[in-house]
Every structure is written in C-alpha cells, then in structure tokens.
C-alpha cells in the first residue's frame, strides 16, 4: 500500500486519463464553438457575395474545408472523450470502493459498531456514486469551459478588442457569478439531502432485513409510514434542489440574452465604423452564441461539484475515525502454542462512560482448558471477548498470551491464533465449500468433509449434493441448527489454538443447543475455549464456569474475586 491513502490519492492515480479526458472535452468544445463561428462568418460572406453580384470576390474553399475539418474533429474527439472519460470514471468508482473498504474494515467491528448498517450502505452506494462522477459531471466540464473561454477571448481580441472585454465579462458572469449565486448557501441543503437519502436507504434496508419481525408484530404499516415520510423528505430536498437550479438557469438565460445583444451592438458598431468586416462581425456574434450554448450546463456542474464535496466529507467522516487499537511500531512475535491466556487485573469502561464494565478481572485459561462465562445481558461478557480479540485495549491491567501482552503484538498475527464464532455468525450465499473455506482458504475437500463430520453435517451435505451444494442467502436452505453447525465447522477449520464462542446456541431449541455443544466439545481436541453464554451447559462441555456480575467474575461453586 502506498504511503498516501487519501481520497485525493485515488484520483491522482488516474491523473493521466483524467487529463486526457479534459483535453478531449476541451477539443470537442473548441471544435463546436469554432464550427459555429466559422459557419456564421462563412454564411454571412456568402450572402453578401450573392447580394453584391458576380464581381465580388469570395473564398469558398478555405472556410468550407475548415467547416468539414472541424466537423470531423468534433465527432472524433467527442467519441474518444466519452470513451476515456467513462473509462476513467469506472476505474475511479472501482478504486473508491476498494479505498473505502480498506480504510473502513480496520474500524470494524469496534468503531463501525456505532454506525447503522443501512447508513454504511448509503455511504457506500449514494455518496461514492456522487464522488466517482466528479470528473464527468463537474470538474471536466468546468475546466474545459475555462479553456474554451480563454481561447475564445483570444480570438475575439484578435478581431476586435472591445468585444473580447465584453466576452470576458459575460463569461465571468454566467460561468462563475450566476452558478455561485444559484448554489449559494446550498451546502446546508446538500448536507440535509444526503442525510435524508441515508435515512431512506437505512429504513428500506432495515425493513427488508426485519420483514419477518415486522410481520409478526403487525408493525408493517407503521414502518411503511416511516419509509414514506423519509421518501417525502428526500423528494422535498430534490424539489428545492431543482428549484435552485431552475432559478440559476433563468438568471443565466437573462444574462445570456443581454450579453448577446451587447455583442451584437458591438459587432455592428465595429462594422459600421469600418474596424471589422461583415464576416468577422458575424463570427463574433456566432462565437458568443456558441459559448453561451456550452456554458448552459455550468450551473449543473457547480451543483454536482457541491454535492460531491459534501459526499466526500461524509465518506471521510467514516474512514478517518481513529482506530480503537493500534499496532506497536515494533511488534513482538506471538508466543508459540500451547500457551496460557491470562487476564490480569483488567479494567475497561466504554468511551464516554464512567461505569466500569470490567473492574479488576483475573482469569487464566491454560492450554486445552475450556471455560464458560455467563451473566445477565449487558454485564460485560461480550466486552471480555472483545478485549481477548484485541478489538479494544483495557484501560488498566493486561491480557496476555504466553506471558506477552497482546498490545505488544500485531493484530493480524494474533488473530491467526484465534478462531472466533460471533453471536449470529452469518451463512453466506454460496456453496457449502465456499462458506467453509472462509475459515481456511487452502483446505482440501478431505479436510472439509472431515470437519463436516465433526459437527454432524456430513450426511446432510451428501443429501444436498455435496460440497458444491448451494445454501442460499443467510442459509435459506438450512435449519437454524444446521446453520450454526456450519458456522461452527468454519471456526473449527481454522485449527487455531484458542477458540472464542459468543452465544453459540442463541436462537436454538434446548435439544439442538445441547447436541451442538456436546459435538463442539468433542471436536475441539487440545484447543482452549472461552465461551460466552447465558444458557445451560451439559455436563463435560467445559471445565470451569464463571458468572460475570458488577464487573467481577464469580466462579460457579466458588468465591468472588477480590
């Protein structure tokens, strides 16, 4: 990865394509403006030659050749401008998503846990969609317009310098003044529009995810009303946005009309005084008409630039959050297995809260030992596993593996020593093999069948058609117990010396849960286990059980710590 991983660097990687697209767009505009100006002058000269009679000299071939050449250049440059511009945009769209994932994933689940999934989805789709079109919708047209303005002013100055001054003032007015006036104070509106767009996507996403619960609670109508309300808010934002754009277009048209009349007066006055010929006077007028045409989309480009800037800020607000933990500058190697995991006087409180969730925890898990920790919801059980996984660091005390503080090792190195089965571990749309190989990508088919047998899914997998059988979105073709067993098989496949299970039987009936735990204990072999659970455990599944209460561990059948 390069040293600069900013949003600006994503665009900088494509600067050659971006520059080429702008140059081609400028060439297209130059050809279009030149074509209209040259045609106007040519038609005027032809009309005058016809009116004045046969004795008048008229150069037919040079202007007509120029018109044909400009037409050809405009067609070719337009084609390649679209080709290069859209190629650059698609590449940027790809790299923006990679950049966002690369920057956001290290924040998961600790930092991203405070952001709703639907909001993240909105940032990934809507905001990146606004930013990746920055070239085609905003920056490219504005830069090309600046280039065509300079070229046109230079041509006008060569013909009649007062016309060049008038053209400069007109272009400053309609190219910068009017658009800025139209989008003035629009930042707040764009930010509000982005928030409402995010809220609508979030509600729609969560409604689809929780459709079964909404139906069971007879809450679909209330939820649909919330979605409709969010849609109306967004529609109102879009209406006001279009209103600002229309007002800008009206002002643009008024200024353009007055500017064209002024140029017509200047051209006629210069012709009447003998300072320019009739064809050149006509060329000034047609040049102005052509510039007004290419500048018509200026307001839309400025609005797109404003929207992209707001969206870029929203993306950066996510990825620039400080990580919950950082790797040391010189990490130590993780001690080889088998090793003892120990919590030593661990204290932890969530950021912004004064209450200590963990208050002086001492715990040792020796190699091959299986420990279960229970307690009421919110007592800190999952927090304990988060510290073990080093998603957060304790404010006091230490978590050690083989005597080495986890803060002294690299997170990636430590995570290779842990197999984690979170609460609600997903089953992904794909084959049985696809789901299993998330735990061990290099596992061969023999190893996959072996782990399926360990969790008693071998016969089921054969009935489905083998390892290539499709399991469906969220395990749609499986029962809840089968889905948990498949997730368990994926964790076992990692073959890590330490396994961490967070509520592994959540949502299962008692018989299914007990069977799963018994099979899991048999499959662990010499591995250590830390299980977070509030359910009943069959005999022999763990060696010791604790209850977490008021930040302290109480061994079931023993005395409280401290």
């Amino acid at each position: 990865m390069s040293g600069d991983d900013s949003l600006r660097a994503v665009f900088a990687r494509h600067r050659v394509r971006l520059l080429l697209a702008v140059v081609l767009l400028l060439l297209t505009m130059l050809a279009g403006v030149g074509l209209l100006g040259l045609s106007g002058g040519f038609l005027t000269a032809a009309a005058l030659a016809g009116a004045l009679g046969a004795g008048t000299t008229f150069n037919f071939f040079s202007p007509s050749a120029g018109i044909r050449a400009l037409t050809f250049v405009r067609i070719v440059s337009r084609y390649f401008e679209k080709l290069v511009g859209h190629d650059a945009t698609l590449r940027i769209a790809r790299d923006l998503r990679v950049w966002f994932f690369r920057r956001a994933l290290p924040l998961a689940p600790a930092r991203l846990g405070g952001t709703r999934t639907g909001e993240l989805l909105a940032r990934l789709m809507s905001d990146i969609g606004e930013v990746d079109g920055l070239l085609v919708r905003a920056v490219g047209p504005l830069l090309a317009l600046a280039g065509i303005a300079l070229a046109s002013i230079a041509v006008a100055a060569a013909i009649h310098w007062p016309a060049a001054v008038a053209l400069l003032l007109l272009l400053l007015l309609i190219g910068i003044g009017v658009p800025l006036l139209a989008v003035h104070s629009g930042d707040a509106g764009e930010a509000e529009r982005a928030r409402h767009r995010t809220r609508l996507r979030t509600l729609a996403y969560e409604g689809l995810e929780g459709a079964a619960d909404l139906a069971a609670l007879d809450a679909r109508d209330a939820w649909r009303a919330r979605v409709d309300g969010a849609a109306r808010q967004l529609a109102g934002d879009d209406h006001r946005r279009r209103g600002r754009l229309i007002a800008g277009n009206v002002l643009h048209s008024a200024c353009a009309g007055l500017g064209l009349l002024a140029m017509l007066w200047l051209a006629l006055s210069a012709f009447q005084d003998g300072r320019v010929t009739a064809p050149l006077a006509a060329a000034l007028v047609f040049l102005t008409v052509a510039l007004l045409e290419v500048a018509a989309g200026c307001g839309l480009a400025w609005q797109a630039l404003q929207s992209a800037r707001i969206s870029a800020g929203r993306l950066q607000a996510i990825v620039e959050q400080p990580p919950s933990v950082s790797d040391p500058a010189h990490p130590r190697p993780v001690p080889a297995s088998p090793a003892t995991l120990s919590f030593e006087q661990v204290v932890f409180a969530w950021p912004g809260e004064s209450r200590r969730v963990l208050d002086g925890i001492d715990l040792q898990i020796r190699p091959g030992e299986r420990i279960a920790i229970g307690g009421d919801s919110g007592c800190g059980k999952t927090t304990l596993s988060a510290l073990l996984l080093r998603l957060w660091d304790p404010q006091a005390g230490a978590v050690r593996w083989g005597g080495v503080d986890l803060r002294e090792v690299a997170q990636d190195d430590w995570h290779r020593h842990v197999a984690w089965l979170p609460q609600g571990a997903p089953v992904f749309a794909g084959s049985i093999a696809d789901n299993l190989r998330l735990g061990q990508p290099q596992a061969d088919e023999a190893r996959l069948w072996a782990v399926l047998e360990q969790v008693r899914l071998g016969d089921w997998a054969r009935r489905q058609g083998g390892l290539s059988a499709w399991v469906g979105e969220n395990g749609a073709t499986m029962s809840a117990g089968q889905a948990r067993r498949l997730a368990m098989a994926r964790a076992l496949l990692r073959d890590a010396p330490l396994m961490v299970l967070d509520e592994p039987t959540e949502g299962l009936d008692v018989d299914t849960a007990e069977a799963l735990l018994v099979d899991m204990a048999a499959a662990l072999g010499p591995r250590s286990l830390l299980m977070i659970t509030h359910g009943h455990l069959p005999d022999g599944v763990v060696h010791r059980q604790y209850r977490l209460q008021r930040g302290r561990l109480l061994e079931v059948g023993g005395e409280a710590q401290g």
Side-chain angles (χ1 to χ4, degrees):
M1 186 188 304
S2 62
D4 187 4
D5 198 25
S6 64
L7 188 57
R8 186 186 301 272
V10 175
F11 286 88
R13 285 197 292 273
H14 302 282
R15 55 185 172 272
V16 174
R17 285 185 176 85
L18 295 177
L19 180 60
L20 181 57
V22 172
V23 169
L24 287 168
L25 179 58
L26 174 59
L27 185 60
T28 303
M29 287 184 175
L30 282 171
V33 171
L35 182 61
L36 188 55
L38 183 58
S39 300
F42 176 69
L43 291 173
T44 302
L48 288 174
L52 295 176
T56 306
T57 60
F58 172 59
N59 182 0
F60 174 83
F61 295 102
S62 296
S64 60
I67 290 172
R68 285 194 297 270
L70 287 173
T71 302
F72 179 75
V73 168
R74 188 172 184 272
I75 292 172
V76 173
S77 63
R78 181 69 169 170
Y79 172 78
F80 283 103
E81 176 260 320
K82 291 294 184 185
L83 185 66
V84 175
H86 285 83
D87 176 64
T89 299
L90 291 173
R91 290 173 184 270
I92 290 170
R94 174 201 64 194
D95 290 353
L96 276 174
R97 285 159 176 79
V98 173
W99 168 82
F100 185 77
F101 273 108
R102 183 171 60 244
R103 294 288 302 274
L105 283 179
L107 304 174
R111 290 291 184 191
L112 293 186
T115 306
R116 294 165 73 176
T117 304
E119 183 169 347
L120 286 174
L121 186 65
R123 305 272 174 122
L124 181 63
M125 297 179 66
S126 301
D127 290 329
I128 288 182
E130 293 286 346
V131 175
D132 64 24
L134 193 60
L135 166 72
V136 222
R137 293 193 293 264
V139 176
L142 291 175
L143 289 177
L145 182 60
I148 192 69
L150 293 175
S152 300
I153 290 168
V155 171
I159 298 174
H160 183 50
W161 72 263
V165 174
L167 201 57
L168 173 62
L169 293 176
L170 178 61
L171 288 172
L172 287 175
L173 183 62
I174 66 173
I176 298 178
V178 171
L180 286 182
L181 186 64
V183 301
H184 178 64
S185 303
D187 279 6
E190 285 297 323
E192 188 72 9
R193 177 173 172 265
R195 284 194 293 272
H196 288 157
R197 185 178 61 220
T198 297
R199 181 169 180 265
L200 178 59
R201 285 188 179 275
T202 301
L203 287 171
Y205 171 80
E206 292 177 350
L208 289 173
E209 286 290 298
D213 293 330
L214 291 173
L217 296 171
D218 196 22
R220 287 178 297 185
D221 291 341
W223 191 269
R224 191 181 298 115
R226 293 179 63 186
V227 174
D228 289 342
R232 284 192 296 271
Q233 284 182 319
L234 183 58
D237 293 334
D238 287 338
H239 179 74
R240 287 185 288 273
R241 190 174 190 251
R242 286 193 299 271
R244 291 195 298 269
L245 185 60
I246 291 170
N249 288 339
V250 170
L251 190 56
H252 172 96
S253 299
C255 294
L258 292 174
L260 186 57
L261 287 175
M263 182 59 71
L264 183 61
W265 178 80
L266 281 173
L268 289 175
S269 299
F271 169 69
Q272 187 175 12
D273 295 341
R275 291 194 292 270
V276 298
T277 63
L280 289 179
L284 285 175
V285 175
F286 281 101
L287 178 67
T288 304
V289 171
L291 279 175
L292 292 175
E293 182 183 350
V294 298
C298 215
L300 192 60
W302 279 104
Q303 196 170 68
L305 181 63
Q306 183 182 51
S307 181
R309 187 165 52 82
I310 296 295
S311 293
R314 284 166 49 82
L315 292 175
Q316 289 174 320
I318 291 289
V319 302
E320 290 181 358
Q321 297 177 86
S324 55
V325 296
S326 299
D327 281 343
H330 303 287
R332 295 180 59 179
V334 179
S337 305
T340 297
L341 175 73
S342 59
F343 291 78
E344 299 175 1
Q345 285 296 299
V346 168
V347 174
F348 183 81
W350 289 105
E353 296 185 10
S354 58
R355 182 178 74 91
R356 292 181 171 183
V357 182
L358 304 177
D359 190 10
I361 294 293
D362 279 314
L363 176 67
Q364 275 198 348
I365 304 177
R366 292 179 288 273
E369 195 169 22
R370 301 192 296 272
I371 303 296
I373 297 177
D376 298 331
S377 296
C379 69
K381 303 187 301 296
T382 300
T383 304
L384 199 68
S385 65
L387 295 181
L388 187 156
L389 294 165
R390 202 169 175 250
L391 305 178
W392 295 90
D393 286 332
Q395 281 94 33
V399 183
R400 300 181 186 275
W401 173 258
V404 175
D405 194 325
L406 295 186
R407 286 171 287 204
E408 299 177 13
V409 303
Q411 296 173 70
D412 286 347
D413 292 344
W414 169 237
H415 289 161
R416 292 189 188 98
H417 287 69
V418 182
W420 180 38
L421 181 63
Q423 183 177 355
V427 173
F428 298 95
S431 67
I432 297 173
D434 291 337
N435 275 273
L436 290 176
R437 287 198 172 107
L438 290 173
Q440 179 54 264
Q442 290 79 34
D444 57 22
E445 290 196 1
R447 182 73 182 94
L448 299 184
W449 280 114
V451 77
L452 286 173
E453 295 294 349
Q454 284 183 304
V455 297
R456 299 192 188 183
L457 283 180
D459 291 340
W460 167 82
R462 279 185 281 271
R463 287 195 302 271
Q464 300 304 308
L467 295 174
S468 61
W470 189 262
V471 296
E473 186 78 25
N474 293 322
T477 63
M478 312 174 70
S479 68
Q482 289 168 341
R484 294 301 286 170
R485 285 178 180 272
L486 187 63
M488 177 75 71
R490 185 168 61 211
L492 290 169
L493 198 59
R494 283 183 62 81
D495 205 22
L498 174 64
M499 180 171 283
V500 182
L501 306 181
D502 190 351
E503 302 289 2
T505 60
E506 184 71 20
L508 303 182
D509 62 78
V510 174
D511 292 339
T512 302
E514 291 194 356
L516 176 65
L517 292 174
V518 170
D519 291 340
M520 178 272 302
L524 277 177
R527 284 174 278 198
S528 305
L529 170 69
L530 176 65
M531 186 194 312
I532 307 298
T533 182
H534 64 265
H536 170 72
L537 297 178
D539 293 338
V541 170
V542 296
H543 299 116
R544 283 182 287 144
Q545 294 188 52
Y546 292 89
R547 182 173 179 80
L548 187 58
Q549 187 173 350
R550 296 180 182 178
R552 298 296 186 95
L553 281 178
L554 172 68
E555 185 172 359
V556 176
E559 297 296 328
Q561 295 178 0

